Structure formats: C-alpha cells, structure tokens
Amino acid sequence: MMIDPLSVFLLLISASTPILFAALGELVVERAGVLNLGVEGMMITGALAGFAAAYASGNPFLGFAVAALAGATISLLFAALTQLFLANQVASGLALTLFGLGLAAMFGKPFEGVKAPPMPIGPLRINWIVWLGLVMVPVVWWFLNRTRRGLILRGVGENHEAAHALGYEVRLTRLAAIAFGGAMAGIGGAFISIATVLQWTEGMTAGAGWIALAIVVFSNWTAPGVLAGAWLFGGVTVLQLRLQAAGVAVPVQLLSMAPYLATIIVLVAISARQKYSRRAGAAAPGSLGTNFHALR
C-alpha cells in the first residue's frame, strides 16, 4: 500500500493541534513562574463551552472564541487562589482539573448525541485552526524573546523578587499569563470537540492536558521545542491509527496507550539528561512554582 507523505504529515499536524495550543499556553504560564496543573480541566471546559456555542449558533469559529473565553475564565479561579490568596500551586492546579472535569460532566449531558457544525476547510484541505496553531509558535517565540513585555514576563519567572524591586507588577504579569494559558487550553479542547470528534463526549480530552504539561518540560521551555514535542505526540497518534486501520495484530489497548507511553519514555530520557547536564536543567524558570509574597 502506497503512503502519501504529505497526507501523513497533514494528519500529524492536525492530530497535534490540541496539544500544541495547550502546551504553548502553559509555556507562557510557566515562563512567568507559575506551575498550573489544571490544563486538563481548562481543556475539557473549553471543549464543552466551544461545542455548545458552535452547536447553538451554527458557527464553529464562534465556538472557538467562546472556548477561549471559558478557558480564560476558569483559569482565573486558579489565579485568584495562587496569586491573591497564595495557595499552593500544585494543589490548586489539581483542584482546577477536578473542578473542570466535574463541571463539564454535569453540564454536558444535553449535548450528547448531537453533531458539531462543519468546519470550513483552509489550505491543503485542513481547517483554519490548525494553521492558527502553527502561526502561534513563532508569535509566542517572538513575544517571549523580542518584546519588552515578554522579557518582563521572563524576568518575573526567573526572579520575581528582583522584578518587583525593579518596579514590575509581578501579580498582574502572572494573572495575564494564566489567563492566556487558559484561553489557549480552551481552544485546544474545543478543537477536539468541534474539529476532531465532532460531538461532545464526557472525558473526551483523555489526558491531553497532562501530555501538554509534559511537552513543556520536553521543550526545555521553548516554543520550537513545544512544536517538536506536539508533533512527536501527533506522529505516534497517527501511527497508532494507521496500524489499527491496517489490522496489525497488536492489542487495541496497547496501540491506544502508545502516545502516552512515548511521552513517559521522553520524560524519563529528559530526567536522565538533566541529571548529568547542568545546562539542561538551567532552562527551567528560577521562580517556577513559587508564590510571590509582596514586600510590605
């Protein structure tokens, strides 16, 4: 059977799009020094809100806009807990994931069994949101490395006390980063419900948020690295689907777990590399996961 490389590549970038959006958003959040483990909760909230808006309006693009708004809104709960009340970031992120999953399960029942409106096709017969995800990679890189606001955000993430001493608004910078991360995760979730599965199913993100978190570490906190990690996950996903379609005599359960197994292997390899390479470990923002206590 002949394999068209272009078709496989287009499938790969489409399969990687939800992870790419979520991971780019989390990259900005972590560069600001915040560890938000609630990506899965924000994605499933965006998946439901986006699908509901697209179904009600018949406009999938409106669905993505609503998904971004929903993701940003729910992320502000995490922001309030960690930036205003100085709650533990790990515990707050896990609580956000559980809250998002429960919220989506409760309000998603009326939308089970209905179809999303069709997505307009862009260049090379893939939808426009895929292209938007690819465009966001250089945009995020440029913002973090070539703009004053991006450099301030990185400074806050490296040493929030020094940034505060220089007169920068640490909490406002982190609030903006968290909201952006929530919006990106919401779009990633909506891509699954509106453009991939084409319907609402409870728990449909299926751990994609955790993969996005792992990819940020894999990328050494860089936008090009996030793209590479998302494509790795997308490639394993496409391979899994191809093998299933070809009727390869491998248990379906094993094929389904292949993308997650690949992610675990990559993370173990990174951990081993960081153990023996000081330079590899230096990429993590210095204040990552540490709450900022303003001086009185």
Side-chain angles (χ1 to χ4, degrees), residues 132-153:
L132 175 61
L134 295 176
V135 169
M136 287 303 298
V137 175
V139 168
V140 169
W141 177 89
W142 174 78
F143 171 75
L144 291 175
N145 296 280
R146 294 292 185 269
T147 68
R148 183 173 182 271
R149 287 293 178 186
L151 293 175
I152 291 173
L153 182 145

Side-chain angles (χ1 to χ4, degrees), residues 59-223:
N59 185 339
F61 292 115
L62 178 61
F64 281 103
V66 171
L69 180 61
T73 300
I74 194 173
S75 74
L76 292 180
L77 296 175
F78 169 84
L81 288 172
T82 59
Q83 304 308 305
L84 301 181
F85 299 107
L86 304 181
N88 181 275
Q89 293 182 16
V90 172
S92 299
L94 294 174
L96 181 63
T97 287
L98 295 175
F99 177 73
L101 291 170
L103 194 70
M106 182 171 64
F107 289 104
K109 293 297 182 183
F111 299 101
E112 292 180 350
V114 298
K115 293 290 184 181
M119 282 289 299
I121 300 300
L124 299 180
R125 298 184 62 79
I126 57 178
N127 75 65
W128 290 100
I129 304 300
V130 175
W131 296 113
L132 175 61
L134 295 176
V135 169
M136 287 303 298
V137 175
V139 168
V140 169
W141 177 89
W142 174 78
F143 171 75
L144 291 175
N145 296 280
R146 294 292 185 269
T147 68
R148 183 173 182 271
R149 287 293 178 186
L151 293 175
I152 291 173
L153 182 145
R154 290 177 58 188
V156 167
E158 289 297 333
N159 191 325
H160 52 221
E161 292 180 356
H164 176 71
L166 291 173
Y168 298 125
E169 291 288 345
V170 173
R171 285 178 177 164
L172 287 179
T173 298
R174 288 182 168 178
L175 285 170
I178 291 168
F180 174 78
M184 292 288 281
I187 293 173
F191 188 89
I192 298 174
S193 60
I194 298 174
T196 304
V197 182
L198 308 180
Q199 63 182 10
W200 166 252
T201 304
E202 184 178 336
M204 66 191 315
T205 49
W210 300 108
I211 299 296
L213 283 162
I215 284 175
V216 174
V217 179
F218 164 81
S219 73
N220 271 348
W221 291 271
T222 64

Side-chain angles (χ1 to χ4, degrees), residues 12-13 21 27 45 70 72-73 89 116 134 138 147 167 186-187 196 200 202 205 223 238 240 252-253 267 286:
L12 183 154
I13 62 174
F21 271 103
L27 169 66
T45 301
T73 300
Q89 293 182 16
L134 295 176
T147 68
I187 293 173
T196 304
W200 166 252
E202 184 178 336
T205 49
V238 170
Q240 164 214 339
V252 174
Q253 293 82 358
L267 288 176

